[in-house]
């Protein structure tokens, strides 16, 4: 997925994988990564795996920093229709 967004020859520092547990410990980390500007790449990819509804408030608080320069991929297991994280993404379109 990162190659499709950044290209096959993209700088390794143009992408970051954030540990879900670390985000819970440091909720500002997502916003910090969204604000990080990479000098050699016009886009960045931020990947979070294993997300649950506990991430909803963190995503909401970082929303103002979402931009076309940072592509955020949040991977989760099956989220039911009542999931706050799923609802946030569905409503943000």
């Amino acid at each position: 997925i990162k190659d499709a967004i950044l290209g096959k020859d993209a700088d390794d520092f143009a992408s970051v994988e954030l540990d879900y547990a670390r985000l819970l410990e440091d909720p500002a980390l997502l916003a910090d990564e969204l604000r990080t500007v990479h000098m050699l790449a016009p886009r960045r990819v931020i990947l979070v795996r294993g997300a649950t509804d506990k991430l909803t408030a963190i995503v909401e608080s970082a929303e103002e920093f979402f931009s076309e320069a940072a592509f955020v991929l949040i991977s989760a297991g099956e989220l039911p229709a009542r999931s706050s994280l799923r609802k946030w993404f569905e409503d943000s379109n």
Side-chain angles (χ1 to χ4, degrees):
I1 293 176
K2 291 186 293 187
D3 288 350
I5 297 165
L6 299 173
K8 291 183 181 181
D9 297 327
D11 187 328
D12 289 339
F13 294 107
S15 65
V16 63
E17 187 168 336
L18 300 178
D19 181 67
Y20 172 69
R22 186 166 173 222
L23 280 174
L24 293 178
E25 291 173 9
D26 183 5
L29 184 58
L30 179 59
D32 290 346
E33 288 295 339
L34 285 164
R35 290 187 302 240
T36 299
V37 177
H38 190 278
M39 292 177 16
L40 303 175
R43 296 182 121 189
R44 294 188 74 231
V45 172
I46 300 167
L47 175 62
V48 180
R49 294 183 193 271
T52 68
D53 284 342
K54 291 181 181 181
L55 190 64
T56 306
I58 295 169
V59 172
E60 286 175 345
S61 68
E63 179 179 15
E64 68 183 281
F65 304 109
F66 281 42
S67 71
E68 291 182 16
F71 196 90
V72 180
L73 298 169
I74 297 180
S75 164
E78 188 172 330
L79 297 174
R82 67 182 183 281
S83 161
S84 61
L85 184 62
R86 176 178 167 178
K87 183 165 176 32
W88 186 88
F89 277 101
E90 288 174 347
D91 292 347
S92 69
N93 288 330

